[in-house]
Amino acid sequence: MPVEIDIAHVARLARLGLTEPELDHYRDQLAVILEHAARVQELEGEPDVDVTHPLGVVNAFRPDEVRTSLDREEVLGQAPEARDGYFVVPPALEL
Amino acid sequence: MSWESVIGIEVHVELATNSKMFCGCAVGFGEPPNTSVCPTCLGLPGALPVPNQVALDSIIAIGLAFDCSVAPTSVFHRKNYFYADLPKNYQISQFDAPICLEGHLDVTVDGQTRRVGIERAHMEEDTGKSSHVGDGGRIHGASATLLDFNRAGVPLVEIVSKPEIHSAAEARAYAQSLRAVVAELGVSDARLEEGSIRFDANVSIRPIGVETLGTKVEVKNMNSFRSLERAVQYEIDRQIALVESDGAVVQETRHWDEEAGLTRSMRSKEGSSDYRYFAEPDLTPMEMDEAWIDRVAATLPELPAKRIDRYVGSGLEVSLAEILSGAEAPIRELYEAAVGAGADARSAANWVTGEITAWLRREETDADSLPLTGTQLAELISLVDEGKVSASAAKDVLNGVLDGEGDPGDVATKRDLIQISDAGTIEAAVDIVLADNPDAFASLRDGEEKVLGFLVGQVMRATQGKADPKLVNDVIRERVSD
Amino acid sequence: MDAPNIATAGEKLRDGSLTAVQLLDGVLKRAADTEAQIHAYLTIDRSGAIAAAETADRELAAGVDRGPLHGIPVALKDNMVTRGLETTASSEILSGYLPPYDATVVSRLREGGAVIVGKTNLDEFAMGSSTENSAYGPTYNPWDITRIPGGSSGGSAAAVAAGSALVGLGSDTGGSIRQPAALTGVVGMKPTYGTVSRYGLIAFASSLDQIGPLSRTVLDSALTLKAIWGHDPLDATSYRGEYPDLLEGIGDGVEGLKVGVVKELSGEGYESDVDERVSAMVDQLGRAGAEVAEVSLPTFDIALSAYYLIAPAECSANLARFDGIRYGLREDGETTEEMMSRTRASGFGPEVTRRILLGTYALSAGYYDAFYGQAQRVRSAIRDDFARAYSSVDVLVSPTSPTVAFKAGERTDDPLAMYLSDICTIPSNLSGDPAISVPIGLDSRGLPIGFQVMAPALGEPMMYRVASVVEQLAGFDAQPSLELVAG
Ligand SMILES: [Mg+2]
Ligand SMILES: [Zn+2]
């Protein structure tokens, strides 16, 4: 089944700032891959499932204990931009 | 046309655990930026989440407090959206399998109590904090956003009500009693000012009698109960005005502006937001079995609703029971102790919520350093009941006890506040008064009741008010009938 | 140099006829001779490795024995974070990134006294089957440097094949350990999901990723896995129960074992040399006393389709954190959103971009049920197929890859053809079961062929038992003749 793909919307959701030609290129490739992937729809009669851990691991929790945090200078040292102990980014759109 | 407002409230409660939801970083308030962060809560490549056992105990406690059913199994989901304060650019939350379902909360607005349904309570993680700075000079793109991830990953419980609230006042009452319960549980600081409990409202209107819901608007950014009430009222009025002028309500998120006293449309985080929820593959299912739920239930304190019932059961009228239930713990404990020591429940309740609370306010003393035991209060009450101390004198006795002069009996004696209830003494006093006032006595004999008061007064004067007025009465009547 | 293995080197290290420093020296020389042609490593941590080797020698001399990996040079796939040592997952977006912590497997290697030689090349974020999708250039196959080594753990596979490491760690999401092992003539193994900690493994698809060893021998594989597996409280998906003894079955032969040959994993699309070599090995197993039977697992036909929905869906969320804020690359922008979108568009390569788009689409409103939801149903149907099969056989066998190593650039423009390289390995990732690839010979062009042995969850001892027999029967001792191609 041919699938319709609003590639610009998908790229926006994924925060990928692609050019028009790039978008067209990826739309075509996705169409081919999805047509193959759509074969999953050949399977019938499987109930809705939450695929669980193969070894049935459940209730894996940790005690409420404090562990030492990272050194701030080491952390901020990896940041493209930091100031006064903060990470810095350009302003958010809505403000 | 007349309108009905339909309101649902979403509450986010920050849990007061030692460590964050999925990592060992300390949960604090006001620490220097980015000092309580680790690979997990910073979303560093390769880091993984592991859920905090105590946070899960806490949401179960919250669920039980609101009579929710705790799901036998529950899973975490990823809620996908990009935002600078969200380190992984997805929030670990819960979608279609929350931990708590179908509860309720009773809300009282001027005497009227209504039950509001709670749809669900689920577990999630908080975001970091962003602050916006402009640096003067340049015109364009000069400002920046500073990010602090200390709060990122702090455990959050989201409690979602059903759309069963129908006025701004009711919305406020719901929020207040919800906060009271959460505070009582001790699972959160529940401080609005610090944002450790946050309220959002979904508001819509519909013509009275219509069943279908109108378009809902989400109102955010209320940081006090008052602003919640104002914001909801504003939004109701705005929507009614809009519709009555043939406008249409748009589904959107609006920000409450406290100063301006109005709501403003706010650009959504992601155009048409599509959160692409899917089961969190880094975590495994949670199975909440009987043993776990019982363990949490055993730790629950007595909650306001239950306590009020119990007080009423022990003979208090509802209004008094509600006042007492709202009193500080030490006050309630003093009440319990006094009743335990044999005091009458109503008298004890009246004393602790009346005179004693007033004294604390006067003396600016903390309730837990109150210099009065339940036994002392019980003794004071029995002094009054037995007529040894008059109601007015009893207040002096209380002050004496609170000033450390000793137990009520001693204080009454030292302060010479014991009533004369010895028949002989009173008869003597009465006979003197009657002898001194033959005319009055005669007219009383002729049935002129009004002079009785005058004679009683004379006896009281003669005994410096220490005689038990009831006894005086009886003795005078005896003399009349002789 | 004739390449030593962990077991033989271990003896020499302990009888004093070899030091860890000498062993490392040989490995570093080998790297110096071969890296220009194969480019297995992104980073060689010479000083760190020498220090570790010297410590190992001191400890072993003092009688402190940390186990089989003590003093052994190990190659680490560059998607496992190493404190203070650049870790990029072969992506531009992590160029220059110095992690502030060690992955759990790295800590365990250090505790085991292993000598970490360096970080090996991979397809960006482990997405690929050829190690061509690397921002830092492809890795080439030591058996023929005009060909790819497979992927995504192509760097670790090539290093072990070339002798520039005795053993390597890779990660396997859809075959990324086993397929490159097959294409480079080494042993590659994917453990049961949940037995090796993923803490510190840069996630591709969390429900499928599993770290495992690439080695010269089946015994080395078991010895290495023994050192890195076990419960880790930092990974909520980590198995907390009993871990079996990996060496228990090695040497017991296949007498009386039931071996199932997967019907769906042969025939059309499989190179004849591959099919022939594999069925020859099956016959040998039969002659060695195994009961051989063909087994059908019909859902395998749609396993690839399910995989190419589930893995991209998870990766679309796992890779969302690369946003130019806390680490790695940043492109400028007027707003946060613009900065993020530019950073991600320029920081991710084409295959990663393609999979993020694919996964975002598969999860998005209106398509979830038809794609992601349905893929999950297929996944559980595949588990049911495995369960049915294992009710009648002890292990399942197949080729590891339908083809031998292909020419560099041959499939880069045809994603679907590239994805087909994993058709034999993907089912075990979807089920979470263990599987291993053992080299069984060369094709007519002198390129290695791999034989896959699959077992049920925690069936590693049975898997190794059969694999070691396959190893014996194959008697594979060929070495890549790099010098020739080099000349
Ligand atoms: Mg929420
Ligand atoms: Zn943390």
Side-chain angles (χ1 to χ4, degrees):
Chain A
M1 60 154 223
V3 285
E4 89 278 14
I5 306 165
D6 179 349
I7 195 71
H9 172 66
V10 175
R12 168 90 210 292
L13 283 175
R15 291 294 188 278
L16 289 164
L18 303 170
T19 64
E20 283 306 322
E22 287 171 327
L23 289 173
D24 296 340
H25 168 73
Y26 285 117
R27 193 210 303 97
D28 298 345
Q29 287 187 323
L30 256 60
V32 175
I33 298 165
L34 283 167
E35 207 168 322
H36 185 277
R39 288 195 57 203
V40 292
Q41 286 143 21
E42 292 170 13
L43 179 78
E44 281 152 12
E46 272 290 318
D48 216 325
V49 285
D50 254 333
V51 176
T52 54
H53 191 289
L55 297 175
V57 174
V58 295
N59 292 4
F61 308 133
R62 40 173 283 273
D64 183 23
E65 288 160 8
V66 174
R67 301 167 100 249
T68 45
S69 294
L70 290 169
D71 169 59
R72 183 168 77 184
E73 300 327 305
E74 187 176 9
V75 167
L76 294 178
Q78 293 301 310
E81 191 183 351
R83 185 197 309 169
D84 312 327
Y86 292 91
F87 294 90
V88 181
V89 289
L93 209 55
E94 52 263 50
L95 295 144
Chain B
M1 179 174 354
S2 52
W3 301 89
E4 176 188 46
S5 53
V6 179
I7 302 149
I9 306 261
E10 284 177 20
V11 187
H12 285 85
V13 178
E14 259 183 18
L15 298 181
T17 44
N18 301 322
S19 62
K20 293 184 178 181
M21 185 63 221
F22 298 112
C23 65
C25 292
V27 170
F29 182 79
E31 278 78 17
N34 297 304
T35 51
S36 191
V37 294
C38 74
T40 297
C41 59
L42 270 179
L44 297 191
L48 294 173
V50 183
N52 181 332
Q53 170 79 63
V54 170
L56 295 169
D57 292 350
S58 303
I59 188 177
I60 290 174
I62 289 173
L64 294 175
F66 293 119
D67 289 318
C68 291
S69 56
V70 176
T73 66
S74 177
V75 295
F76 283 105
H77 281 74
R78 290 184 184 179
K79 180 181 185 179
N80 298 285
Y81 66 92
F82 282 81
Y83 210 66
D85 62 15
L86 188 62
K88 304 180 294 300
N89 287 310
Y90 60 80
Q91 179 192 37
I92 302 178
S93 181
Q94 299 195 276
F95 181 46
D96 55 5
I99 294 174
C100 305
L101 288 153
E102 291 300 321
H104 56 78
L105 175 59
D106 291 336
V107 174
T108 307
V109 180
D110 27 80
Q112 297 283 42
T113 301
R114 276 194 59 248
R115 174 156 289 190
V116 175
I118 288 174
E119 191 176 296
R120 60 185 280 162
H122 72 253
M123 192 82 243
E124 59 186 31
E125 58 181 337
D126 210 342
T127 64
K129 275 184 180 161
S130 36
S131 43
H132 308 280
V133 294
D135 37 37
R138 287 168 51 202
I139 314 302
H140 189 48
S143 69
T145 297
L146 305 182
L147 296 166
D148 169 16
F149 292 104
N150 285 347
R151 199 185 66 181
V154 168
L156 271 189
V157 171
E158 179 174 337
I159 304 164
V160 182
S161 87
K162 295 188 173 165
E164 295 178 352
I165 296 167
H166 298 296
S167 75
E170 207 167 72
R172 177 186 189 151
Y174 172 86
Q176 282 171 322
S177 27
L178 185 141
R179 186 197 166 283
V181 171
V182 170
E184 193 94 33
L185 289 171
V187 295
S188 169
D189 300 343
R191 295 210 189 92
L192 281 77
E193 330 74 61
E194 292 178 6
S196 52
I197 184 165
R198 313 194 278 265
F199 301 91
D200 303 332
N202 291 308
V203 180
S204 66
I205 57 164
R206 63 183 173 195
I208 287 185
V210 174
E211 271 311 301
T212 54
L213 292 166
T215 310
K216 77 172 181 191
V217 169
E218 187 175 19
V219 188
K220 288 182 174 296
N221 193 43
M222 292 80 76
N223 46 26
S224 72
F225 292 120
R226 184 166 167 281
S227 57
L228 170 65
E229 184 170 8
R230 289 177 66 205
V232 169
Q233 191 56 57
Y234 175 89
E235 188 54 28
I236 293 169
D237 299 342
R238 186 189 71 88
Q239 291 185 18
I240 292 174
L242 195 63
V243 174
E244 289 188 338
S245 57
D246 311 316
V249 177
V250 248
Q251 174 145 12
E252 61 179 344
T253 299
R254 297 177 70 89
H255 242 259
W256 169 248
D257 181 331
E258 184 71 35
E259 286 65 36
L262 48 76
T263 62
R264 286 208 173 82
S265 184
M266 168 189 166
R267 186 172 311 192
S268 98
K269 280 175 182 166
E270 207 171 81
S272 59
S273 60
D274 177 349
Y275 293 125
R276 290 158 283 139
Y277 282 98
F278 70 99
E280 168 57 277
D282 286 332
L283 298 172
T284 61
M286 295 170 280
E287 293 182 352
M288 275 80 44
D289 60 9
E290 284 300 317
W292 185 359
I293 295 168
D294 294 347
R295 178 171 59 75
V296 174
T299 66
L300 291 185
E302 180 183 41
L303 296 164
K306 293 226 170 25
R307 190 160 57 221
I308 290 169
D309 292 349
R310 184 166 60 81
Y311 290 158
V312 171
S314 59
L316 308 189
E317 53 280 338
V318 178
S319 55
L320 182 55
E322 283 173 350
I323 295 164
L324 179 59
S325 168
E328 292 178 82
I331 293 293
R332 286 186 268 123
E333 285 152 14
L334 177 62
Y335 161 84
E336 309 280 358
V339 172
D344 163 63
R346 291 180 75 250
S347 320
N350 281 315
W351 276 106
V352 297
T353 57
E355 280 304 306
I356 293 167
T357 306
W359 183 86
L360 286 171
R361 225 176 278 115
R362 267 204 313 281
E363 304 293 315
E364 290 169 354
T365 310
D366 291 350
D368 44 23
S369 52
L370 183 70
L372 181 73
T373 69
T375 329
Q376 288 174 321
L377 178 54
E379 183 186 347
L380 177 61
I381 290 168
S382 62
L383 284 176
V384 178
D385 292 350
E386 295 162 10
K388 292 209 178 76
V389 171
S390 71
S392 53
K395 296 178 181 177
D396 301 344
V397 176
L398 174 69
N399 289 324
V401 177
L402 291 173
D403 295 347
E405 295 170 22
D407 288 338
D410 317 343
V411 175
T413 323
K414 284 188 216 138
R415 291 198 175 190
D416 197 6
L417 295 167
I418 300 287
Q419 291 189 122
I420 300 170
S421 38
D422 154 51
T425 322
I426 290 183
E427 280 167 358
V430 168
D431 292 338
I432 295 168
V433 169
L434 294 185
D436 296 352
N437 303 276
D439 307 357
F441 186 40
S443 42
L444 179 62
R445 275 224 164 100
D446 302 344
E448 247 188 89
E449 281 295 316
K450 62 178 176 346
V451 291
L452 174 61
F454 162 78
L455 292 168
V456 172
Q458 292 302 308
V459 178
M460 294 310 286
R461 161 130 22 100
T463 57
Q464 294 97 39
K466 279 187 259 152
D468 178 340
K470 196 179 155 303
L471 277 172
V472 176
N473 249 294
D474 301 349
V475 174
I476 296 177
R477 289 209 176 283
E478 278 171 28
R479 295 290 186 268
V480 171
S481 49
D482 292 352
Chain C
M1 100 183 205
D2 100 277
N5 60 54
I6 295 178
T8 57
E11 281 169 33
K12 294 194 181 120
L13 286 172
R14 283 164 183 79
D15 69 21
S17 60
L18 176 73
T19 69
V21 171
Q22 291 166 338
L23 182 59
L24 173 64
D25 236 50
V27 162
L28 290 174
K29 279 202 185 62
R30 185 66 177 161
D33 298 342
T34 57
E35 274 304 288
Q37 300 155 60
I38 65 172
H39 186 231
Y41 286 93
L42 293 176
T43 310
I44 291 186
D45 182 18
R46 177 173 278 278
S47 57
I50 291 170
E54 287 169 346
T55 309
D57 283 331
R58 236 177 292 115
E59 290 178 333
L60 287 166
V64 180
D65 196 328
R66 297 176 171 277
L69 296 187
H70 205 166
I72 300 297
V74 179
L76 268 186
K77 188 178 184 179
D78 198 38
N79 60 349
M80 297 169 215
V81 301
T82 42
R83 179 162 194 174
L85 183 62
E86 184 176 11
T87 303
T88 66
S90 288
S91 183
E92 184 62 39
I93 211 162
L94 272 180
S95 167
Y97 175 59
L98 302 177
Y101 74 108
D102 273 335
T104 294
V105 287
V106 173
S107 313
R108 296 206 173 165
L109 286 177
R110 298 195 200 280
E111 286 153 22
V115 174
I116 295 172
V117 180
K119 309 297 292 291
T120 57
N121 199 13
L122 61 147
D123 288 295
E124 183 178 5
F125 288 109
M127 298 176 197
S129 309
S130 68
T131 319
E132 291 169 292
N133 307 329
S134 168
Y136 308 99
T139 294
Y140 295 100
N141 194 319
W143 294 85
D144 175 350
I145 58 168
T146 67
R147 294 173 185 271
I148 56 88
S152 64
S153 310
S156 287
V160 174
S164 50
L166 265 67
V167 63
L169 290 192
S171 64
D172 190 312
T173 306
S176 281
I177 291 173
R178 294 160 286 160
Q179 182 259 11
L183 272 48
T184 57
V186 302
V187 175
M189 186 270 178
K190 182 199 84 78
T192 303
Y193 182 85
T195 58
V196 178
S197 173
R198 292 183 297 114
Y199 188 75
L201 170 67
I202 299 176
F204 161 15
S206 313
S207 75
L208 301 162
D209 297 343
Q210 198 57 185
I211 292 171
L214 293 111
S215 59
R216 295 234 172 72
T217 69
V218 170
L219 178 61
D220 282 5
S221 178
L223 292 172
T224 307
L225 179 56
K226 201 167 191 291
I228 60 169
W229 82 343
H231 176 62
D232 176 14
L234 297 177
D235 177 354
T237 64
S238 173
Y239 176 58
R240 283 168 291 176
E242 278 284 303
Y243 284 71
D245 174 4
L246 294 170
L247 307 177
E248 154 191 288
I250 295 180
D252 291 1
V254 290
E255 189 79 56
L257 294 187
K258 298 198 177 65
V259 173
V261 183
V262 180
K263 174 169 169 292
E264 286 73 16
L265 300 181
S266 65
E268 203 215 323
Y270 289 72
E271 289 178 351
S272 54
D273 282 8
V274 172
D275 263 350
E276 284 158 22
R277 253 3 217 84
V278 168
S279 34
M281 175 53 67
V282 169
D283 297 342
Q284 283 179 277
L285 285 169
R287 286 195 296 277
E291 273 178 54
V292 177
E294 187 180 69
V295 181
S296 174
L297 296 90
T299 52
F300 278 26
D301 288 340
I302 46 175
L304 188 69
S305 299
Y307 176 83
Y308 276 97
L309 292 169
I310 293 167
E314 292 184 16
C315 100
S316 70
N318 283 331
L319 272 60
R321 68 188 59 194
F322 300 97
D323 58 9
I325 295 179
R326 282 146 291 122
Y327 41 78
L329 180 78
R330 171 185 293 190
E331 299 289 351
D332 291 338
E334 291 296 331
T335 65
T336 311
E337 179 180 358
E338 190 179 59
M339 178 277 288
M340 284 183 181
S341 301
R342 286 182 181 171
T343 298
R344 292 166 58 76
S346 83
F348 291 134
E351 180 62 23
V352 172
T353 303
R354 187 155 47 233
R355 296 206 198 185
I356 291 174
L357 290 168
L358 187 55
T360 304
Y361 175 88
L363 288 172
S364 62
Y367 303 103
Y368 180 98
D369 287 329
F371 289 102
Y372 184 78
Q374 186 60 21
Q376 290 291 14
R377 290 185 195 89
V378 170
R379 185 175 186 175
S380 65
I382 286 167
R383 284 188 181 173
D384 299 344
D385 263 7
F386 267 113
R388 257 189 303 279
Y390 287 129
S391 68
S392 62
V393 301
D394 297 299
V395 296
L396 292 166
V397 300
S398 75
T400 306
S401 163
T403 72
V404 294
F406 45 89
K407 288 278 186 187
E410 189 180 302
R411 299 183 187 177
T412 37
D413 302 329
D414 184 352
L416 215 48
M418 186 69 87
Y419 297 170
L420 282 164
S421 322
D422 297 328
I423 191 125
C424 305
T425 46
I426 277 172
S428 307
N429 296 90
L430 291 172
S431 68
D433 298 336
I436 190 169
S437 177
V438 181
I440 53 170
L442 304 174
D443 78 344
S444 50
R445 290 156 298 182
L447 297 167
I449 293 169
F451 184 86
Q452 178 172 239
V453 179
M454 296 168 268
L458 293 179
E460 276 86 351
M462 175 60 71
M463 179 203 71
Y464 276 129
R465 177 180 171 182
V466 175
S468 64
V469 173
V470 170
E471 184 179 43
Q472 272 170 18
L473 296 173
F476 182 79
D477 56 7
Q479 293 289 326
S481 51
L482 261 171
E483 292 75 9
L484 298 180
V485 253

